[in-house]
Amino acid sequence: MSSETENPLGPPPWLNAPPVEAYPYEDTHDLRVGPDLHPSLLGLLPFIGLWRGRGQGGFPADEDYNYAQEVRISHDGRPFLAYESRIWLLDDDSKPIGQGERELGFWRPVLNADGRPTDEMEATLTSENGVIEIYEGEAHNTRLEMATAGVGHTATGLPVTGAQRLYGIVEGALLYAHEMAANGEKLRPHLSARLLRIGG
C-alpha cells in the first residue's frame, strides 16, 4: 500500500482488538427478574409484560379482518420502555393464514426540570410498511392515550399522515384502539384488540 492511500490517522484501534462477549445487559418484561425498574417508569408499570390475544383490523384494508397479536413491553433499567408487536392473520376457524403488521419502538416518560416523571409521555414507533411515527400523550393509572406529533414514510411506504392510540388495562387485560389517517383519508379505525398477560 502506498503512502498516498494509507490512513493518515494510523490503523483504527479496533483492528486487532480481541472479540467481544455477548451483549451484557438484560432486557426483561418480567418485573421479578432482571434489572430494577427505573423510578420514572412507575406510571407505566401496568403495561410492562408479554401480552397475547386477538383483534380486528380494518382501514386501510378493503375489508375487515381478524388477527392474533403478541406484544412485548420491556425495560432494561433505563428510563424508557421497549415496545414490540407482531400480528398474524386468522381465518374463520382461528387458524393462522399469514403474517401481519410488525412494529418496534420506545415509550418514554417526559421528565420535569428536577428529573421527576410527569403524566406526559412520548413514543417512537416504526413498522415494516415503511412508516415512522412520533407520538405524544398522557398516561393516567391504567390508561394511556397518545396522538402523532409527526409521521414519516419511505418513498414506497404506506402514506400515513396521522394516528391516535388508546391503551387501557381492564380486568387484567390490555385493550387498545388504534385509528389511522392514510391515503388521503381522515382518521378511521385501524386496529383494536384485547390481549391477555402471558408473561411478566
Side-chain angles (χ1 to χ4, degrees):
M1 182 180 286
S2 70
S3 60
E4 295 180 352
T5 59
E6 288 179 356
N7 183 344
L9 301 177
W14 45 260
L15 185 61
N16 295 310
V20 296
E21 301 295 328
Y23 186 73
Y25 303 103
E26 189 174 359
D27 185 272
T28 182
H29 61 264
D30 188 341
L31 296 173
R32 295 166 294 190
V33 297
D36 292 336
L37 185 70
H38 193 280
S40 68
L41 297 177
L42 290 176
L44 296 170
L45 186 149
F47 298 97
I48 298 173
L50 182 61
W51 307 87
R52 187 184 300 146
R54 61 174 61 235
Q56 186 175 61
F59 176 80
D62 293 331
E63 297 181 0
D64 290 348
Y65 55 92
N66 296 319
Y67 65 86
Q69 183 177 21
E70 189 171 274
V71 169
R72 183 175 188 254
I73 301 173
S74 60
H75 77 99
D76 65 3
R78 292 182 285 176
F80 62 84
L81 295 178
Y83 176 92
E84 180 178 6
S85 166
R86 295 184 294 184
I87 286 176
W88 58 102
L89 307 178
L90 300 175
D91 65 15
D92 292 339
D93 297 319
S94 295
K95 302 296 184 185
I97 56 172
Q99 294 169 300
E101 295 185 30
R102 188 164 184 174
E103 282 189 318
L104 297 168
F106 300 95
W107 294 2
R108 295 160 35 96
V110 175
L111 308 180
N112 60 23
D114 63 4
R116 289 185 296 179
T118 67
D119 290 336
E120 297 177 28
M121 65 153 298
E122 53 194 27
T124 55
L125 295 172
T126 184
S127 65
E128 91 295 340
N129 55 22
V131 178
I132 299 174
E133 298 169 306
I134 299 172
Y135 283 91
E136 294 177 348
E138 292 187 352
H140 297 284
N141 298 320
T142 59
R143 179 185 173 95
L144 167 61
E145 191 167 0
M146 55 187 180
T148 49
V151 182
H153 61 83
T154 61
T156 61
L158 182 66
V160 175
T161 55
Q164 291 181 349
R165 301 190 190 211
L166 173 63
Y167 296 86
I169 307 296
V170 180
E171 297 180 351
L174 174 60
L175 278 63
Y176 78 87
H178 177 185
E179 294 183 321
M180 174 189 289
N183 297 329
E185 301 265 3
K186 295 183 178 180
L187 284 172
R188 293 177 57 183
H190 174 49
L191 300 172
S192 60
R194 180 176 185 269
L195 311 179
L196 302 177
R197 184 186 294 275
I198 60 168

